[in-house]
């Protein structure tokens, strides 16, 4: 038997492998940059689309992807070296089963009984197996892999597009007069507040009673409410990713006009904590009531999301 094995990878195979390695390596680099680098506002790029608990897994995944791409690159290098070495195509020649049998039998010296048997058997089996593997190169398959890379170099995600859907003001109406008298608690010492803290407090009567009348300090984005003395301070709550983000709002009511502040401008507000009931609803909204416009100060941008 003759076996001729020719294992051959066409040039398109190596091109396909190299492109895959390059794309995967680039994805790993982008994952690391997204989880590590910060934008002009000082925010981690990944924070615009993922909650912080997922940043470390993305960073680790990026490192692992780069290592796997490097290992595969070494394997392809060695494979290409073996393919170009002499004697890679090998032929096994097996020529067998040639039997010439001459049998002459004389039985008991019987006259005229002579049996001559001549068995000529010639068997020649030759098998030639040619294996030629040539995988076609299809650039379209890399479109999905390249999409995150292209978006990153287009400076996406960023603080601009993630908050655009929350641009319109909140048009909820509150019961009662705009300015209300509430007994001051805590001696007027301001406490730093978080949007989630105030939102959760609005749901629990005991917590509302404990915070009502205290002085609080809150940072958020400015959203006009249609009046120079009233606006909404808001931030976006993200539990998992940007898809499940929802706006958290605190109404700001001032005794003086608030001017020269643009929509989505980051401000710090200090005022008395109140909780007002929404018109026609069994729901309370947190409110900070101000004595003067000086209690509203512009600040540098922060992360849009509160986690």
């Amino acid at each position: 038997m003759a076996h001729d094995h020719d294992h051959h990878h066409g040039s398109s195979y190596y091109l396909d492998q190299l492109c895959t390695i390059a794309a995967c390596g680039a994805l790993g680099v982008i994952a690391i940059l997204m989880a590590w680098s910060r934008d002009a506002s000082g925010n981690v790029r990944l924070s615009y689309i993922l909650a912080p608990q997922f940043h470390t897994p993305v960073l680790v995944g990026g490192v692992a992807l780069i290592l796997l791409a490097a290992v595969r690159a070494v394997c392809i290098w060695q494979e290409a070296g073996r393919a170009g070495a002499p004697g890679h195509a090998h032929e096994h020649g097996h020529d067998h089963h040639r039997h010439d049998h001459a049998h002459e039998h004389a039985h008991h010296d019987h006259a005229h009984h002579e049996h001559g048997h001549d068995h000529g058997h010639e068997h020649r089996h030759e098998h030639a197996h040619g294996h030629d593997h040539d995988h076609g190169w299809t650039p379209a398959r890399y479109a999905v892999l390249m999409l995150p890379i292209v978006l990153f170099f287009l400076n996406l995600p960023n603080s601009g597009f993630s908050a655009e859907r929350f641009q319109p003001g909140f048009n909820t109406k509150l019961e009662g007069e705009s300015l209300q008298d509430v007994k001051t608690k805590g001696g007027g010492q301001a406490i730093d507040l978080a949007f989630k803290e105030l939102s959760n407090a609005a749901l629990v009567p005991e917590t509302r009673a404990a915070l009502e009348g205290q002085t609080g300090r809150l940072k958020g984005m400015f959203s006009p409410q249609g009046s120079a003395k009233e606006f909404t301070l808001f931030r976006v709550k993200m539990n998992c990713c940007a898809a499940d983000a929802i706006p958290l709002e605190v109404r700001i009511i001032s005794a003086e006009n608030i001017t020269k502040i643009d929509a989505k401008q980051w401000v710090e507000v200090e005022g008395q904590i109140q909780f007002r009931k929404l018109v026609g609803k069994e729901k309370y909204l947190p409110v900070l009531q101000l004595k003067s416009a000086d209690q509203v100060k512009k600040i540098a941008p922060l992360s849009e999301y509160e986690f």
Side-chain angles (χ1 to χ4, degrees):
M1 290 184 292
H3 303 279
D4 187 4
H5 300 281
D6 186 9
H7 299 281
H8 172 66
H9 293 300
S11 59
S12 62
Y13 167 78
Y14 292 106
L15 180 60
D16 179 72
Q17 291 295 305
L18 290 175
C19 288
T20 302
I21 291 169
C24 292
L27 275 177
V29 172
I30 295 301
I32 294 173
L33 292 177
M34 287 283 288
W36 188 265
S37 64
R38 297 178 180 272
D39 60 9
S41 301
N43 300 316
V44 175
R45 295 279 295 274
L46 199 60
S47 65
Y48 294 115
I49 56 175
L50 278 180
Q53 62 265 31
F54 300 106
H55 293 186
T56 299
V58 170
L59 179 62
V60 173
V63 173
L65 197 54
I66 291 175
L67 291 177
L68 289 174
V71 170
R72 182 56 182 160
V74 172
C75 292
I76 287 295
W77 179 276
Q78 293 175 343
E79 184 179 343
R82 288 193 299 267
H88 177 66
H90 49 276
E91 181 174 339
H92 305 288
H94 303 287
D95 196 0
H96 65 142
H97 298 301
R98 179 175 178 87
H99 308 285
D100 291 322
H101 305 286
H103 303 283
E104 187 172 331
H105 306 280
H107 300 285
H108 307 291
D109 198 12
H110 293 289
H112 309 294
H113 293 281
E114 184 173 323
H115 302 281
H117 302 280
D118 187 5
H119 304 282
H121 304 284
E122 183 175 339
H123 305 283
R124 182 176 179 85
H125 305 282
E126 185 169 327
H127 304 281
H129 302 284
H131 302 284
D132 189 358
H133 304 286
D134 190 3
H135 306 277
W137 183 57
T138 53
R141 75 175 67 178
Y142 304 106
V144 176
L145 294 176
M146 294 300 295
L147 181 60
I149 302 171
V150 173
L151 291 177
F152 180 83
F153 285 107
L154 290 176
N155 196 32
L156 299 174
N158 56 46
S159 59
F161 84 85
S162 59
E164 281 300 320
R165 53 193 171 128
F166 304 113
Q167 176 66 27
F170 301 93
N171 297 316
T172 50
K173 294 183 178 181
L174 306 176
E175 290 185 354
E177 299 293 328
S178 292
L179 295 174
Q180 295 185 4
D181 239 349
V182 175
K183 183 179 178 181
T184 302
K185 296 179 183 177
Q189 186 70 28
I191 57 175
D192 290 318
L193 300 171
F195 278 85
K196 285 200 298 185
E197 177 187 356
L198 287 173
S199 297
N200 293 336
L203 303 175
V204 183
E206 293 79 8
T207 311
R208 290 201 303 266
L211 284 176
E212 185 115 28
Q214 295 198 54
T215 301
R217 186 185 300 112
L218 187 65
K219 299 175 182 178
M221 286 183 285
F222 178 91
S223 179
Q225 195 64 34
S227 168
K229 295 183 177 181
E230 193 171 334
F231 65 92
T232 294
L233 199 64
F234 81 100
R235 211 165 181 180
V236 184
K237 177 186 178 183
M238 183 193 297
N239 292 320
C240 180
C241 62
D244 67 5
I246 58 173
L248 300 175
E249 60 174 311
V250 174
R251 187 65 54 83
I252 310 298
I253 299 174
S254 174
E256 297 178 355
N257 290 339
I258 307 297
T259 58
K260 298 181 180 179
I261 298 181
D262 300 325
K264 290 180 59 182
Q265 169 70 51
W266 281 88
V267 296
E268 179 183 85
V269 178
E270 185 176 313
Q272 187 184 64
I273 303 171
Q274 299 179 4
F275 293 92
R276 307 281 186 87
K277 195 173 184 180
L278 299 178
V279 173
K281 297 182 180 181
E282 290 297 322
K283 181 181 178 181
Y284 287 85
L285 185 71
V287 173
L288 288 182
Q289 185 169 288
L290 316 182
K291 293 180 180 179
S292 72
D294 294 336
Q295 291 178 285
V296 181
K297 300 176 182 178
K298 294 181 180 181
I299 61 172
L302 302 175
S303 171
E304 297 176 9
Y305 296 107
E306 180 170 286
F307 307 99

